[in-house]
Amino acid sequence: MKMSKQHWVNTFVMSALTLAINSAFAEDTKDPAAQYQSADSPLAKEEMHQNINPKAPPMTEKEFNIGKNIYFQRCAGCHGVLRKGATGKPLTPDITLAKGTEYLEVFIKYGSPAGMPNWGTSGELTESQVKLMAKYVQQEPPTPPEYGIKEMEASWKVIVPVDQRPKKKENNINIDNLFSVTLRDAGEIALIDGDSKKIVSVLKTGYAVHISRMSASGRYLYVIGRDARINLIDLWMEKPDTVAEIKVGLEARSVETSKFKGYEDKYAVAGTYWPPQYVIMDGDTMKPLKIISTRGMTVAPEEYHPEPRVASIVASHYHPEFVINAKETGKISMVDYSDLNNLKTTTIDAARFLHDGGFDSTGRYFLVAANASNKVAVVDTKDDKLAALVDVGKTPHPGRGANFIDPEYGPVWATGHLGDESISLIGTDPKDHKAQAWKVVRSLKGQGGGSLFIKTHPKSKNLWVDTPLNPDPKVSQSVAVYDINNLDKGFDTLPIGEWSGLGDGAKRIVQPEYNKAGDEVWFSVWSAKDKESAIVVVDDKSRKLKAVIKDPRLITPTGKFNVYNTQHDVY
């Protein structure tokens, strides 16, 4: 059969492209930032309408649903729910149809040097799934349903009414030293007594609890899952348990409570990935009161974005305000909750894409990672103004960061990075160390990229940095620790995974967390759902193994939150 000249040109171009990408990805792509952003989304389980695009390759309803599930499990974190682009490039039909099926198959199979994972050659997707996804991204994106007060109230349950709850603490637990531990893949949290190292209880929650937050009084614990389910847990009960719950959307990451004097425990707020909005609720019942959308214009170049996800929230200590960080717009909203009927919001332009962060040691300045811009935005919560945009390493991911006194530069706040091995120390004292304020005064060399959390304590001389997403098991199964008084010395490595005594498994070490006294550091040893995991406790002063907590109920432990430290922003 005679081939046309154009066919041979197309074949040559595709072969050259395949060879080039294949050469660039001779080994599996193991970019920690890409792995982190492509985490699964609960939206994969939601019913969505199939939009037929007559120009796109035909798909059956079954094929479309398979593609939708794969997209939300693998792709939505980078490319967005509506495929408009976020950390990754837009994948809307006006772009994908022009690329064509063959090109898209190669791209999905081999990935790209810009960070697109090599889904095919890594074995994450089969050849047939790669072909299916190449067709799927040429279809019109399905839109998940919206979620308003009606839907929230339908899910809202007050299990124990306020007037039937304890009038005083009914247990002997040292609540200040209690730990709330995320059991990610089990859809649970474990409450662990920090004194005895025993599990107090394991509670059913939403899927993959992202954070635990304390009410200002220290009585109530709020946990939010990726599926946007919030559990309100009363720690005064004889056996702490859920007293109210609500589902505030279809996917979420953040929850916080009011902390300003006179408003303690009065309100709670939760932000969602979908729909892109946040909701203010009664603090003791979680009754939804007010929903505010985050859809709108981005920071420069001032383009409309249809799904700015709420990434993180903190409560101001200086005003009755919540600090709401919208990921894709790069905008920070200072939301005054003193009058919900006449809501006042101050909008601060920062940088994209806003993610996680924490306060400086004074509680005045909030520092938040803008990870796609490789910056940290600094907000003055007293004056409600942007104090600075600080250039840091690649893809900063501080958790809540770490505050300590640098022996040369004074008060600093530190972040690690997903994208490189550096640890950036930012000066935070514009009063007495003005020359160092809002600048990276040191850049330490760490074990490698893939860091999620960094931690110290006011009573400690150690700075701990994890690297759970590093592709090297020796790095992901250990932790780096620095002597704050001798930072130039570099880090020591502690083999936390080996100390756990576990058998086979990933044994990724994640999130150092101090006890209230600041003399112990707890590490999650995170393996797969079907493997044994553990928590390792290290003596902070000696850096020696102190205890290993093992229990069949500790399924995929990740985040840990000490009640006192979380309540008082100690980090």
Side-chain angles (χ1 to χ4, degrees):
M1 183 174 65
K2 188 176 180 180
M3 301 292 183
S4 68
K5 181 179 179 181
Q6 185 61 48
H7 174 85
W8 285 112
V9 170
N10 290 345
T11 301
F12 175 79
V13 170
M14 287 305 301
S15 298
L17 177 63
T18 302
L19 180 62
I21 297 179
N22 199 0
S23 298
F25 283 81
E27 297 182 5
D28 291 349
T29 299
K30 295 180 179 179
D31 176 29
Q35 292 177 336
Y36 176 74
Q37 295 287 355
S38 61
D40 58 321
S41 163
L43 287 171
K45 302 174 184 176
E46 296 296 327
E47 291 292 330
M48 298 183 199
H49 177 67
Q50 178 180 355
N51 296 309
I52 303 297
N53 187 334
K55 296 181 180 180
M59 297 186 78
T60 66
E61 184 176 352
K62 180 179 179 181
E63 288 175 329
F64 184 87
N65 286 329
I66 292 172
K68 181 204 75 172
N69 290 342
I70 292 173
Y71 181 81
F72 283 106
Q73 288 169 353
R74 306 291 193 189
C75 316
C78 276
H79 298 285
V81 170
L82 303 177
R83 304 212 307 261
K84 297 283 188 177
T87 307
K89 300 290 186 182
L91 292 176
T92 46
D94 60 311
I95 296 171
T96 55
L97 283 169
K99 296 293 185 183
T101 303
E102 288 182 295
Y103 175 94
L104 293 168
E105 284 182 16
V106 172
F107 191 70
I108 294 167
K109 181 175 182 178
Y110 293 105
S112 81
M116 168 77 171
N118 51 326
W119 295 113
T121 57
S122 68
E124 294 284 346
L125 297 181
T126 65
E127 185 174 348
S128 62
Q129 287 174 327
V130 168
K131 293 179 181 294
L132 184 147
M133 292 308 295
K135 293 193 294 183
Y136 175 81
V137 295
Q138 296 177 74
Q139 308 291 330
E140 293 293 331
T143 303
E146 299 295 324
Y147 216 84
I149 288 286
K150 178 182 176 182
E151 289 77 15
M152 291 183 194
E153 288 185 337
S155 71
W156 174 48
K157 299 176 184 176
V158 179
I159 299 162
V160 182
V162 176
D163 61 1
Q164 295 178 27
R165 296 175 194 171
K167 301 298 185 287
K168 61 181 181 179
K169 185 168 169 282
E170 294 182 344
N171 58 58
N172 295 320
I173 302 167
N174 178 7
I175 291 178
D176 277 354
N177 202 32
L178 190 68
F179 287 76
S180 174
V181 180
T182 296
L183 305 180
R184 186 188 186 279
D185 295 339
E188 298 171 334
I189 63 159
L191 297 177
I192 302 181
D193 184 335
D195 296 340
S196 68
K197 314 294 189 291
K198 302 293 185 183
I199 295 177
V200 172
S201 59
V202 174
L203 304 177
K204 282 289 179 186
T205 61
Y207 167 68
V209 163
H210 196 67
I211 56 171
S212 297
R213 288 291 179 263
M214 293 304 307
S215 66
S217 68
R219 172 176 183 169
Y220 290 117
L221 172 68
Y222 298 76
V223 297
I224 188 166
R226 288 192 175 206
D227 55 2
R229 174 180 165 184
I230 306 174
N231 288 65
L232 174 61
I233 299 163
D234 188 349
L235 300 180
W236 281 13
M237 296 173 69
E238 183 177 0
K239 187 173 183 181
D241 207 345
T242 297
V243 293
E245 66 180 44
I246 190 172
K247 188 172 169 63
V248 293
L250 301 177
E251 184 173 5
R253 295 294 188 277
S254 53
V255 67
E256 181 61 288
T257 67
S258 52
K259 292 181 178 178
F260 190 68
K261 187 176 181 180
Y263 292 90
E264 297 93 338
D265 295 17
K266 184 174 178 63
Y267 295 121
V269 62
T272 47
Y273 269 26
W274 189 269
Q277 61 193 30
Y278 57 93
V279 56
I280 298 174
M281 303 163 282
D282 272 334
D284 53 6
T285 67
M286 294 198 300
K287 175 181 173 63
L289 303 173
K290 188 90 171 178
I291 300 174
I292 302 94
S293 173
T294 56
R295 291 179 170 105
M297 306 305 286
T298 69
V299 296
E302 303 260 350
E303 298 172 337
Y304 178 77
H305 202 289
E307 51 168 313
R309 298 172 286 182
V310 177
S312 58
I313 305 173
V314 296
S316 172
H317 300 281
Y318 284 83
H319 304 287
E321 291 179 337
F322 293 123
V323 185
I324 311 283
N325 298 279
K327 201 175 184 78
E328 280 73 21
T329 57
K331 294 190 175 183
I332 301 169
S333 297
M334 314 295 287
V335 181
D336 186 335
Y337 52 74
S338 62
D339 183 354
L340 298 188
N341 291 323
N342 300 282
L343 198 69
K344 296 178 181 178
T345 302
T346 299
T347 302
I348 297 172
D349 285 1
R352 295 183 290 178
F353 297 119
L354 296 175
H355 194 62
D356 57 349
F359 286 106
D360 78 310
S361 58
T362 70
R364 174 173 175 172
Y365 297 97
F366 174 65
L367 296 94
V368 59
N371 50 30
S373 303
N374 301 328
K375 297 180 185 293
V376 167
V378 184
V379 176
D380 183 342
T381 64
K382 181 179 180 181
D383 293 341
D384 282 2
K385 292 181 179 180
L386 183 71
L389 284 174
V390 185
D391 291 317
V392 292
K394 184 179 179 182
T395 319
H397 193 289
R400 306 206 83 179
N403 289 299
F404 58 94
I405 305 297
D406 183 286
E408 184 175 351
Y409 300 108
V412 296
W413 178 91
T415 180
H417 300 86
L418 276 163
D420 66 33
E421 63 185 9
S422 69
I423 295 103
S424 296
L425 276 54
I426 299 171
T428 60
D429 182 12
K431 183 180 178 182
D432 296 326
H433 296 79
K434 188 175 181 179
Q436 288 79 37
W438 318 134
K439 298 175 183 177
V440 174
V441 296
R442 288 185 195 265
S443 182
L444 306 177
K445 182 179 179 180
Q447 287 202 90
S451 175
L452 290 180
F453 299 100
I454 186 168
K455 190 74 68 166
T456 189
H457 188 278
K459 296 180 180 179
S460 173
K461 298 301 181 184
N462 289 323
L463 176 67
W464 304 85
V465 185
D466 70 13
T467 42
L469 296 187
N470 192 282
D472 184 346
K474 291 182 180 179
V475 177
S476 64
Q477 294 180 12
S478 61
V479 67
V481 56
Y482 299 80
D483 179 350
I484 287 171
N485 291 324
N486 192 7
L487 292 167
D488 292 334
K489 177 186 174 184
F491 62 85
D492 290 331
T493 304
L494 299 189
I496 305 296
E498 179 183 323
W499 286 356
S500 71
L502 299 177
D504 293 339
K507 296 192 287 290
R508 290 169 289 191
I509 310 307
V510 64
Q511 200 192 36
E513 177 75 351
Y514 276 86
N515 62 345
K516 179 190 175 183
D519 57 10
E520 293 178 353
V521 194
W522 292 37
F523 298 91
S524 294
V525 186
W526 172 25
S527 283
K529 187 176 182 179
D530 60 347
K531 300 290 184 180
E532 188 180 20
S533 293
I535 292 172
V536 168
V537 181
V538 175
D539 181 277
D540 182 68
K541 187 174 182 180
S542 68
R543 301 181 179 178
K544 302 294 185 184
L545 176 64
K546 188 169 184 179
V548 178
I549 303 172
K550 292 183 181 180
D551 191 290
R553 295 172 291 177
L554 288 179
I555 299 169
T556 57
T558 52
K560 300 166 299 307
F561 302 88
N562 174 269
V563 165
Y564 182 88
N565 294 338
T566 303
Q567 178 188 356
H568 296 280
D569 292 311
V570 177
Y571 38 79

